[in-house]
Amino acid sequence: MKILVVGSGGREHALVWRLAQGGQGHEVIVAPGNPGIEAIARCVPVAVDAYGALEELAVAERVDLVVVGPEAPLVAGLADRLRARDIPTFGPGASGARLEGSKVFSKQFFARHRIPTAPFEVVATMAEADAAIARLTAAGGTVVVKADGLAAGKGVVVARDAADARAAAHDILEARRFGSAGATVVIEQRIIGHEVSILALTDGTRLEILPSIEDHKTIFEGDRGPNTGGMGTVSPAWVSDEVCARIRIEILEPTLRGLAADAIAYRGVLYAGVMVDAAGAPYLLEYNCRFGDPETQPVMARLRGDLGNVLLGAARGEMPVGSLAWDARVAVCVVIAAAGYPGDVRTGDPISGLDGVEDVVVFHAATALRDGVLVSAGGRVLGVTALGISVDKARDKAYHAVDRIDLPGKQVRRDIGARVR
Ligand code: GLY
C-alpha cells in the first residue's frame, strides 16, 4: 500500500514509524515531515495548509490512503476534498471535525445525545458571561472557560475563582485574544477528578478502542504551571477495565449513534478527553478529531499488527475490528521542550547526543536541519519513548536517554507516568 501522511510533528513521526516499519511493506510519503521522519520515509515539501497541493500530490502519487495528522486541515475540509477525488482518507470531513473545531457545537452535541458532560452555558457578551459564571458557581466550585474555535491548545482556562473566570472571558470575548475563534465562549462547571485520553478508530459504525493513555498537560511537575500541548504520556493509564467499559458505553457508543442521527459520516479518530470523578463516573471534557500528541507515541510503541490496513478499512467504511494487538509492556514518552515553552519559545538551539541513546525511540516533534546541524524548531522538540515490563522500568529507560540528549535550556517534566506506579 502507498500511504500519504500529512503532518510534521511527533505524532506523525510515530505514525509513520509504525506504518513504515510494521513489516507490511507499506510505502509511506509524508508532507512535509521533519528530519526524524526523513530518516524512515520520503518527505515532500508540501505544507499542511496547502490543501490544493496536497490534493494534487495524492493524485499524482496515486496513493491508496491519506492519513491526516493535525486538526486544522480536517476542520478546513481537506478530507472532504480528497474523498471528492475518490482518495480513501483517514480523518473526518469538516462536519465531523466540528467536534474539535467548535466547542459550542461539541457541547451541544454532547447534550443533545445525552453524553455525560459538565453543565455549561454558551455566551457571546460579558453580561452573559457574568450571569453564566454566577449561575454555574452558585452551588460552589469553579468554572472552565473555553473559546469556541481552534486556539492552538491555548483556548481553555481552568479558572481559580469567579474573578479569574471573568478575566478569561474578557480576554477571549472583548480583547479577542484568539480573533474570531473567540466570538463565542463555553463556560462550564469544573469537574474534579483525574483525566484520561481514550482514542478510538472508527469508520462511523465500528469502534477500535486503543489502550488508555495519560497525558501530562502542564509544564511543571505536580500538574503546576501553564498548560502545554502535553509534556509526556504513559500507556496504559491508571483507569480500570470497569471505567474503560463505562467510557465505551456512556460516551463512545452514544457518540456514534449521535453522529448517525445527525447524518455526519465520521471516518477517523475520536479522541475523548475524559474526566473520571472519585466515584469512577466518566465525563466527556472534549473531543479531538485526530490522534493525540504525545498520546500517539506510546500507543504506536505498543501496537502490533497492520495499522495501515485498519486505517484503510476505516477510510473505506469497512474497518476490521480486533486485528490490532498490544504489547503488554508499559510505554512512557517524555517530551524534551525548548527554552521558553509554552510562552515565547527559543528555536535554533543545537541538539546533540541522539547517537548515544539506547533502547528508546526518539520521535522528532519540532526539529530542523541548519547547515547539517540538527536544531530545535518549535516548543516541543523531541519525544523520548521507551517500553518496560513495569512503569518504573519504562521511566528509567526514557529518563536515562533524556539525560543523554543535550539541548541548551531544555525543559523536561520528571514525573511522567508517576501516577500509575
Ligand atoms: N496532548 C493533547 C492533544 O493532543 O491535544
Side-chain angles (χ1 to χ4, degrees):
M1 203 191 321
K2 196 169 183 182
I3 305 170
L4 170 62
V5 175
V6 176
S8 62
R11 162 186 49 212
E12 288 78 22
H13 191 174
L15 286 169
V16 171
W17 174 79
R18 182 46 71 208
L19 288 167
Q21 303 190 344
Q24 283 79 29
H26 301 313
E27 179 186 350
V28 186
I29 307 167
V30 189
N34 65 36
I37 298 174
E38 224 155 37
I40 56 170
R42 177 156 61 96
C43 293
V44 181
V46 177
V48 298
D49 59 356
Y51 305 130
L54 289 170
E55 202 180 312
E56 293 315 319
L57 177 66
V59 171
E61 292 281 353
R62 303 163 77 92
V63 299
D64 301 293
L65 171 68
V66 179
V67 178
V68 183
E71 63 275 16
L74 294 167
V75 171
L78 177 61
D80 300 306
R81 292 177 71 139
L82 293 164
R83 284 190 192 106
R85 304 286 294 263
D86 283 332
I87 300 165
T89 300
F90 184 82
S95 61
R98 289 178 75 198
L99 280 180
E100 177 164 359
S102 168
K103 296 277 189 275
V104 172
F105 172 83
S106 61
K107 287 291 285 192
Q108 289 172 342
F109 179 95
F110 307 162
R112 193 162 61 248
H113 299 296
R114 302 188 182 286
I115 297 165
T117 193
F120 69 100
E121 297 192 26
V122 177
V123 302
T125 65
M126 278 310 294
E128 290 172 358
D130 285 337
I133 292 165
R135 277 190 291 269
L136 290 164
T137 57
T142 181
V143 294
V144 179
V145 179
K146 300 177 168 179
D148 176 44
L150 293 182
K154 296 186 174 142
V156 174
V157 176
V158 180
R160 288 183 301 275
D161 51 29
D164 198 30
R166 191 171 196 284
H170 181 273
D171 204 25
I172 299 169
L173 284 171
E174 306 244 302
R176 284 298 172 103
R177 179 162 174 219
F178 306 112
S180 59
T184 47
V185 161
V186 170
I187 300 180
E188 69 177 31
Q189 276 178 1
R190 181 180 178 195
I191 307 277
I192 302 297
H194 286 145
E195 199 174 333
V196 63
S197 300
I198 300 291
L199 277 64
L201 314 178
T202 185
D203 59 2
T205 310
R206 304 165 191 85
L207 289 168
E208 178 74 72
I209 302 177
L210 308 186
S212 62
I213 313 150
E214 184 184 2
D215 192 8
H216 297 69
K217 293 219 155 83
T218 64
I219 186 77
F220 301 129
E221 284 88 0
D223 297 334
R224 291 175 302 108
N227 266 339
T228 70
M231 289 298 289
T233 36
V234 56
S235 174
W238 45 271
V239 282
S240 63
D241 290 347
E242 192 187 351
V243 168
C244 287
R246 286 190 67 172
I247 292 170
R248 170 190 267 276
I249 292 164
E250 296 175 30
I251 293 176
L252 293 167
E253 290 176 352
T255 297
L256 287 191
R257 290 195 290 275
L259 288 166
D262 291 357
I264 297 172
Y266 196 104
R267 296 175 179 185
V269 179
L270 281 169
Y271 159 178
V274 179
M275 190 65 84
V276 181
D277 74 9
Y283 294 86
L284 183 57
L285 298 177
E286 62 179 15
Y287 265 130
N288 295 313
C289 63
R290 36 95 192 159
F291 284 100
D293 192 348
E295 280 88 341
T296 305
Q297 288 83 326
V299 166
M300 290 302 123
R302 295 184 63 207
L303 189 150
R304 305 289 174 262
D306 188 348
L307 177 66
N309 189 47
V310 176
L311 300 186
L312 178 66
R316 286 183 171 154
E318 51 191 31
M319 184 179 73
V321 173
S323 69
L324 298 179
W326 304 98
D327 194 313
R329 289 175 294 174
V330 178
V332 167
C333 171
V334 178
V335 168
I336 297 180
Y341 181 72
D344 290 333
V345 173
R346 195 174 78 203
T347 60
D349 283 317
I351 301 162
S352 59
L354 290 182
D355 291 342
V357 301
E358 284 175 355
D359 213 10
V360 295
V361 189
V362 181
F363 294 116
H364 290 223
T367 63
L369 276 174
R370 300 239 172 93
D371 302 324
V373 176
L374 190 70
V375 298
S376 58
R380 291 182 296 164
V381 179
L382 299 167
V384 179
T385 306
L387 286 163
I389 53 168
S390 66
V391 69
D392 281 337
K393 294 264 188 280
R395 283 163 47 88
D396 285 351
K397 277 191 209 172
Y399 283 116
H400 187 76
V402 161
D403 291 339
R404 267 146 196 78
I405 297 170
D406 193 38
L407 169 72
K410 76 179 180 187
Q411 300 190 79
V412 174
R413 255 184 82 155
R414 310 296 310 189
D415 62 349
I416 305 304
R419 198 200 306 283
V420 302
R421 287 166 94 176

